[in-house]
Amino acid sequence: SQGTAEQQRRQQQQQEEAASAAAAASAREVAQKREAEAEASRQEAARAQEAEERVRQQQKAEAAERDRKRQQQEEDADSADDSFKQFMKEEDGEDEQGDSDYEDSANALAGAIGWNRKDIESKADDAVKQLTQAIGGKKVVQSLQGMMAGIR
């Protein structure tokens, strides 16, 4: 009976040790799963940060492109103003009005072809003024460029 009791105690001790080993293995398995889940979460967070950084870089590039286009439009508008000013500066006879030779020549031409010189000069000045008001202004040119950019 003592041998049986001893045997039962050993079996119980072995069962307890086996249960303890199983519990330890289970605990290690749970810890490994948690570690794997934590690593997966860290990787997901890193991918999310990378995606956010790509979006920020894309937005930055788009903003730079918009700034470049705006700068180009301003330069184009300045160029249009400069071209118009240059045209007006170089317009034939504009700087010679008041010169006696020019006046004599202009009057002779007007008389030969039957035109009223004062009327022609007045109409030409009005046309130049209207053209200047219509397309010569930088704001108008920029507005037209903005509308054209929206069509593209």
Side-chain angles (χ1 to χ4, degrees):
S1 101
Q2 251 186 349
T4 311
E6 183 68 30
Q7 207 176 25
Q8 285 178 348
R9 197 173 33 90
R10 278 188 209 150
Q11 282 180 343
Q12 187 176 5
Q13 188 178 9
Q14 287 174 349
Q15 287 175 349
E16 287 174 3
E17 287 174 2
S20 179
S26 179
R28 281 192 302 273
E29 188 178 316
V30 168
Q32 288 173 345
K33 284 183 182 179
R34 286 184 182 158
E35 182 61 33
E37 289 172 355
E39 180 61 26
S41 292
R42 285 191 292 272
Q43 289 176 357
E44 183 62 31
R47 283 192 295 273
Q49 279 184 321
E50 290 171 1
E52 288 175 6
E53 182 61 26
R54 282 192 300 273
V55 168
R56 279 193 293 273
Q57 291 297 328
Q58 180 66 27
Q59 289 171 340
K60 189 176 180 180
E62 289 170 356
E65 181 64 15
R66 282 192 304 273
D67 287 347
R68 187 194 64 74
K69 285 182 179 179
R70 182 187 47 75
Q71 180 69 24
Q72 184 63 44
Q73 287 177 342
E74 288 177 4
E75 289 173 8
D76 290 347
D78 288 344
S79 176
D81 284 350
D82 293 345
S83 296
F84 184 75
K85 288 175 186 173
Q86 185 66 24
F87 169 77
M88 289 303 293
K89 185 176 172 183
E90 295 174 355
E91 184 182 3
D92 289 340
E94 189 67 28
D95 58 341
E96 296 175 353
Q97 286 185 356
D99 179 65
S100 62
D101 289 338
Y102 174 82
E103 293 294 326
D104 290 343
S105 177
N107 288 332
L109 177 62
I113 57 176
W115 286 357
N116 178 341
R117 180 173 170 227
K118 297 292 182 198
D119 189 38
I120 296 295
E121 291 283 344
S122 175
K123 287 180 181 179
D125 289 344
D126 287 345
V128 168
K129 182 177 180 181
Q130 288 175 5
L131 179 64
T132 303
Q133 290 173 343
I135 65 170
K138 184 187 293 188
K139 290 181 181 177
V140 173
V141 172
Q142 286 176 333
S143 295
L144 289 172
Q145 288 172 334
M147 286 187 285
M148 295 304 290
I151 293 172
R152 293 182 198 160

